Structure formats: structure tokens, C-alpha cells
Amino acid sequence: MKNTIKYYVVVAFLLLHFFATANNNQVQPQQENKGSLSINDSLKWSERMALSIMKRHPQAYQIDEQSTPKWDYVHGLVLTSFEKLYKKTGNKQYYDYIKNYTDVLIDEKGTIKTYKFDDYNIDMVTAGRILFNLYETTKEPRYLEAMKLLRKQLAEQPRTKEGGFWHKKRYPNQMWLDGLYMGEPFYAQYTSVFEEGKQLEDVAKQFELMQQNATDKKTGLLYHAWDESKLMPWANKETGTSPNFWSRSIGWYAMALVDVLDYFPKNDPKQKELVCYLNKIAKALAKSQDASGLWYQVTDKGGKEGNYLESSGSSMFAYALAKGVNKGYLPKKFKEVANKAFDGLTTQLIKVDADGEVTITQACAVAGLGGEPYRDGSYEYYVNERKKDNDPKATGAFILAALELNR
């Protein structure tokens, strides 16, 4: 009898230990970590925003109010900004925040949870940018395998007749400005690191095609998308372009340009071509900048009813212009344009709580073309899409801009 009692006591102890350990290993509820980070206004804006993100989302997968882990482009943008911040400050908590995201989503074989290869969704490639540094610092094979998988997607991505990546398999014959940021910086880095730069010409081709087919000759701005087939109801029947200029889409394009240029040798003719494109869009943006320093949701229709000063596009432009000057691609006068934009953001669209937490307002939550329910690309469509505070497209770009401007 005594032995039986001892047996059950031991079993009970082991079970209690097991459940206590398991509970400690679970992702902690968000509210438990609330208030654990100190956000001091003496810090640079980049760190203030990053710490605010971490305070709101203790686990990186929670970015964009996600309740379960998801491989997504918004996490890719924000965590790319965290990587730059880590390299600037040496503060390991930013590195750990990135790594924790990949620990949840990438298994030991390099399989990416929630990622669907057969969708050929170019949005899903950009988060792969955070894997280069993780692989370099840890040498864990799973990061390399995940990068190879994303590179395989690009190798098999459906293309237009001239070689432009479709935005998604379900959007045939369409190139979107968004897609250039989603695919090309990863592509340029991968081919530079692992393929001796053999595919850089293909990277440049994507920009060439959008420059040729989506640029408005009058304003120098680029339309959100181009349909090679000209069959989509939103497409101009003569040019194939969508009907309006959306600031965030142009922001994706400008950021993509300055980021891929990191991997093009200066003596490469394609490098000069891409720098030329960057100068053209910089001039067009300077002309369309509002007196506040910001840009409107629909870029060229500032005074029209319903239009509003939008934070994600404005942050993206500030980053791209500042980096363009810092790298020597753009004349110094564009640094003034970028600083004016950042002033507009911090004085008009940024709020700071009593505990130092930073909120960025007036970000378009999402916008696209086609799909269900159908999105027609009209002016009314863009200005009536939902707005969101602390949208990751705005927070990530804001950190990048703050870093480039050293603000």
C-alpha cells in the first residue's frame, strides 16, 4: 500500500512539473508584457517606434494584430527595419525579436508555416530578407533552405510576355508597383550572395517594364498597376494601366529602387539605369509634396474632397529620398524634401502617450485591384478604404526613414 501511495505521489509530482514547464514555454499573453519596456523621449524616433511596436506586440508574429503566427509581407517590412536598427545600435533585443518570429514560423527543415508555394504570391517573398543575416550569424541550415524555397518561387513565378513577374497567380498578366518591393530586394540580395550576381539583369528588367508601361508622361508618377492583357475592367484599354496614382504603391516602388541598388556594382549599366529611374520619381514626388511635407493618399489630387494626408506613403518617400541622397544617387536637395516629410509626420501624424508609446495615424490599411469584392482603382475606392493607426506599412517605413535621417 505504501509503495502504491509513493508511486502516485511521484506521478503527480512529474505531471505538475511537466505542466509547469510547458506553461513556461508557451507564448506569453500580450498583456503580461505590457509596460515592461521603457520608451524614453531622449531616444531617436527609430527606437521609440520600435519599442512601441514591441510593447504592443511582445511576439513579432502579433504585428498587424495577428493572433496566430503568419508568414507575411508586413512582418517582412517591419522586421527589415528592426534589422537595420539592430545593426545601427547593436541592441540585441531587436535581433532577438526578429529571430523569435522565424523560430515560430520556420522548422528545422526550412519549411515555412502558412506559406503556400503554389499561390505564386510575390508578397510572400519579401520576409525572406530577414533570413540572410540570421543565416550569416547562426549558420542554421533551415534559414538557407527557406531562402532557397523563396528563390525557387521566383524562378517559377508566372511572367508577362516580356518577362515581368505576375503579382500573383490569381492576377494573370498583371504587374503591381507593390510587387517590385516584395520580390526584387530579396532577389537582388540572393543572386549577389549565392549566384555571383548572375540574375541582376533580370532584377533590373522588372523596373524597366514598370517604368515603360506604368509611368505617366505628364506627372512622372507611376500608376498602381499595369495589365499586359488590358482585359481587367480597371485597366485602360489603350495603355493597360490602372486609373490612379496611389502614394503607398509609389512608395513601395521607390523603396525597392534604393534597396536593390545596394547590390548593383557602380560600373554596371543597369545601375545607372536604376539611378535614373530614382531621380525621375524623386523629381515627381517633390512636385506633388504638400506644403505640410506629406503626401496625399491619391498622390496628384491633394485638394479633392475625401483625400487625406497618408502616413505610410509619406514615410516610404522620406526613407527612399533620404537613402538616395545618403548613397549618392540623388542630389542633396532631396534630403530637404525628406526632412520636411519627416517633420510633417512627427508634428501632424504622430501621437505620443503619457508612457512614451508612439502611435502613427492616418495610414491606409490596405488597397488593391480586382479580387472579390471587386476593387476598381477609382479615386473613390482609394479614399474610402479603411484607415488604421499603427499600420505596419507605416511603422516599418517610419523606422527606416528615421534611421536614414538620423532623427
Side-chain angles (χ1 to χ4, degrees):
M1 183 68 178
K2 287 182 179 179
N3 288 338
T4 303
I5 292 171
K6 284 182 180 178
Y7 170 78
Y8 284 115
V9 169
V10 170
V11 169
F13 174 78
L14 290 173
L15 285 171
L16 284 169
H17 179 73
F18 170 78
F19 285 118
T21 304
N23 189 55
N24 287 336
N25 288 334
Q26 288 176 356
V27 173
Q28 293 300 307
Q30 192 164 326
Q31 61 268 26
E32 287 186 15
N33 291 321
K34 196 81 172 172
S36 62
L37 291 169
S38 175
I39 307 171
N40 193 312
D41 63 7
S42 65
L43 294 169
K44 295 283 176 68
W45 279 110
S46 52
E47 289 207 80
R48 293 170 71 182
M49 180 61 82
L51 292 169
S52 298
I53 292 169
M54 294 173 73
K55 193 170 185 178
R56 288 187 288 266
H57 309 298
Q59 301 295 323
Y61 77 78
Q62 295 169 326
I63 288 169
D64 209 22
E65 283 60 62
Q66 291 293 325
S67 58
T68 57
K70 181 184 179 185
W71 184 259
D72 199 28
Y73 74 95
V74 296
H75 299 80
L77 171 62
V78 174
L79 296 180
T80 294
S81 76
F82 269 68
E83 183 182 305
K84 289 179 182 287
L85 185 58
Y86 166 64
K87 289 181 176 178
K88 175 88 170 180
T89 64
N91 189 331
K92 195 169 180 293
Q93 68 178 327
Y94 303 131
Y95 175 91
D96 291 340
Y97 193 67
I98 300 166
K99 191 172 185 302
N100 289 342
Y101 177 71
T102 61
D103 285 348
V104 172
L105 278 150
I106 300 176
D107 67 18
E108 67 279 359
K109 294 180 180 178
T111 303
I112 305 171
K113 296 172 188 175
T114 77
Y115 168 76
K116 297 176 182 177
F117 183 92
D118 293 338
D119 285 352
Y120 291 103
N121 180 352
I122 208 161
D123 286 343
M124 296 302 109
V125 174
T126 193
R129 295 177 70 186
I130 63 176
L131 303 180
F132 291 96
N133 187 59
L134 288 172
Y135 178 62
E136 186 179 333
T137 54
T138 67
K139 300 302 179 188
E140 292 184 33
R142 62 184 176 127
Y143 294 129
L144 180 58
E145 292 307 311
M147 285 189 281
K148 286 180 179 178
L149 179 64
L150 297 171
R151 176 67 182 91
K152 185 173 187 287
Q153 179 190 322
L154 290 176
E156 299 179 16
Q157 188 80 6
R159 295 181 182 237
T160 66
K161 291 175 184 175
E162 291 179 299
F165 292 133
W166 290 7
H167 192 62
K168 300 178 185 179
K169 185 180 179 181
R170 65 190 179 98
Y171 294 147
N173 309 303
Q174 298 169 41
M175 293 184 73
W176 295 16
L177 292 180
D178 320 31
L180 293 179
Y181 182 84
M182 304 305 161
E184 308 327 312
F186 173 86
Y187 192 9
Q189 189 170 359
Y190 189 98
T191 195
S192 296
V193 174
F194 298 114
E195 301 171 342
E196 299 180 340
K198 289 179 181 177
Q199 297 302 321
L200 284 175
E201 189 166 341
D202 192 35
V203 173
K205 179 189 281 289
Q206 309 306 312
F207 292 92
E208 291 169 13
L209 290 172
M210 286 307 272
Q211 192 70 28
Q212 292 165 12
N213 294 295
T215 305
D216 175 56
K217 292 178 181 177
K218 184 179 177 182
T219 63
L221 299 169
L222 284 84
Y223 292 102
H224 186 175
W226 169 64
D227 172 21
E228 181 187 48
S229 70
K230 303 174 187 174
L231 295 175
M232 290 300 295
W234 52 255
N236 182 296
K237 298 310 171 191
E238 293 182 9
T239 64
T241 58
S242 57
N244 280 289
F245 306 115
W246 178 37
S247 285
R248 185 156 77 227
S249 69
I250 301 171
W252 289 125
Y253 174 78
M255 290 203 303
L257 274 169
V258 293
D259 284 1
V260 300
L261 278 165
D262 288 342
Y263 306 101
F264 278 78
K266 284 188 177 180
N267 61 355
D268 188 326
K270 297 298 181 184
Q271 193 265 6
K272 295 175 177 60
E273 194 175 288
L274 295 175
V275 168
C276 179
Y277 297 160
L278 180 61
N279 275 267
K280 286 180 178 179
I281 195 59
K283 289 174 186 174
L285 290 174
K287 287 179 183 176
S288 58
Q289 187 178 31
D290 182 68
S292 64
L294 303 168
W295 283 266
Y296 279 85
Q297 164 78 340
V298 179
T299 321
D300 66 328
K301 294 182 170 62
K304 193 168 179 178
E305 185 179 354
N307 211 0
Y308 61 94
L309 297 168
E310 201 277 331
S311 59
S312 67
S314 296
S315 297
M316 291 175 176
F317 295 151
Y319 165 66
L321 295 174
K323 183 174 178 179
V325 174
N326 290 342
K327 291 283 189 176
Y329 310 138
L330 294 174
K332 290 181 180 179
K333 64 181 180 181
F334 288 107
K335 194 73 164 283
E336 296 172 20
V337 178
N339 270 309
K340 186 179 179 182
F342 201 81
D343 288 340
L345 288 164
T346 55
T347 58
Q348 297 195 45
L349 301 186
I350 288 285
K351 296 177 182 177
V352 181
D353 293 348
D355 64 356
E357 190 173 317
V358 178
T359 289
I360 189 166
T361 63
Q362 288 191 199
C364 174
V366 67
L369 295 159
E372 295 179 13
Y374 187 77
R375 301 165 295 180
D376 64 1
S378 64
Y379 173 83
E380 291 70 24
Y381 163 71
Y382 285 111
V383 299
N384 286 300
E385 271 287 19
R386 181 171 60 94
K387 285 181 268 189
K388 180 183 173 186
D389 287 354
N390 294 319
D391 187 275
K393 280 87 76 180
T395 59
F398 180 84
I399 291 171
L400 291 171
L403 284 168
E404 285 296 330
L405 290 167
N406 196 29
R407 296 284 296 267

